[in-house]
Amino acid sequence: MRANTQKIYERLSKGAFLSVDSTDIEIKHLYDDIEENIADYETYFLELGLRLEAGDGYYYFTRNNEEKLTIEQKLQSFAMWVDILDFLKTYDITFSAGFQFRSTHILERINLDVELRDKARKLFRKQNTNQEVVEKLISELKGMGFAEIVNEQDATYKVTSAFRYAEEMVNLITIYNEEDTPEL
């Protein structure tokens, strides 16, 4: 077992990602270690029932056996990320890997833009204020490894390469729906 195996497992098994462009030194180190030893890690995790998957600048786990999550749970989680992506693309169409944002800017836009405000209310219904919605949104983005803080003084965040995973999943639906549309 390699020295970083446990740290990689702990992060990825929670559904988070490791990104090439992470500003967190430890995450970047873990990503680089996987890059250098991909075959060893794939073999080891496969024995645990996990597949180490690579995206465009990120790594994540998928399970060989799907007993942990029901299809309904997966769809609910996926639907939440579709809504989050819709909200973020409405906030700024260029919101993607490398994009930088501040929580205060999102909050200002919610307060000024009726469409964004409606989407924000639907995102996290348990949050009572726009401020709470923005805090929950950023918490979700950070928790998945989709965003990292780059400046604590002004609360500036950077979107990591792992965010492409969410974009790619939504694009698969769009492509499928376009191909599945009957011609008149």
Side-chain angles (χ1 to χ4, degrees):
M1 185 165 99
R2 304 199 54 84
N4 291 317
T5 304
Q6 183 175 353
K7 291 177 183 176
I8 292 169
Y9 174 80
E10 287 171 357
R11 180 157 179 88
L12 298 183
S13 66
K14 294 176 184 172
F17 293 76
L18 293 172
S19 296
V20 66
D21 56 354
S22 177
T23 57
D24 183 310
I25 295 169
E26 183 177 6
I27 291 173
K28 179 70 171 120
H29 173 72
L30 296 175
Y31 179 92
D32 291 342
D33 192 28
I34 292 174
E35 280 282 290
E36 293 170 14
N37 305 288
I38 186 71
D40 292 342
Y41 282 119
E42 284 176 331
T43 302
Y44 179 80
F45 290 124
L46 198 55
E47 291 176 16
L48 299 176
L50 299 167
R51 289 185 45 204
L52 181 61
E53 304 278 356
D56 186 10
Y58 58 91
Y59 287 103
Y60 63 101
F61 278 156
T62 58
R63 295 193 181 280
N64 286 341
N65 51 14
E66 297 292 331
E67 80 274 353
K68 288 226 174 195
L69 291 176
T70 66
I71 291 175
E72 185 177 337
Q73 288 171 316
K74 287 181 184 180
L75 288 174
Q76 287 173 348
S77 176
F78 186 72
M80 179 188 82
W81 281 103
V82 169
D83 290 343
I84 289 174
L85 193 62
D86 179 47
F87 173 84
L88 294 171
K89 294 293 186 173
T90 301
Y91 163 69
D92 190 315
I93 193 72
T94 64
F95 197 101
S96 191
F99 185 84
Q100 291 193 6
F101 65 94
R102 291 188 182 131
S103 57
T104 54
H105 290 166
I106 295 176
L107 187 57
E108 288 171 9
R109 284 284 309 282
I110 290 172
N111 291 329
L112 297 173
D113 185 323
V114 173
E115 180 184 12
L116 207 56
R117 188 172 332 132
D118 289 342
K119 289 178 187 279
R121 287 185 185 140
K122 293 175 186 172
L123 269 185
F124 305 109
R125 297 185 189 274
K126 292 182 180 177
Q127 276 51 51
N128 295 320
T129 66
N130 291 340
Q131 177 71 39
E132 289 174 352
V133 168
V134 172
E135 288 170 3
K136 177 73 173 166
L137 173 66
I138 291 173
S139 174
E140 291 290 331
L141 291 170
K142 285 174 33 183
M144 292 296 290
F146 290 163
E148 296 179 344
I149 193 151
V150 292
N151 185 334
E152 290 190 28
Q153 290 178 318
D154 64 2
T156 299
Y157 295 86
K158 178 183 94 171
V159 180
T160 67
S161 296
F163 188 75
R164 291 182 187 127
Y165 176 83
E167 292 175 312
E168 290 168 4
M169 290 297 109
V170 171
N171 285 338
L172 286 175
I173 290 176
T174 304
I175 291 168
Y176 177 76
N177 283 339
E178 288 171 1
E179 292 173 358
D180 198 36
T181 303
E183 292 184 24
L184 300 176

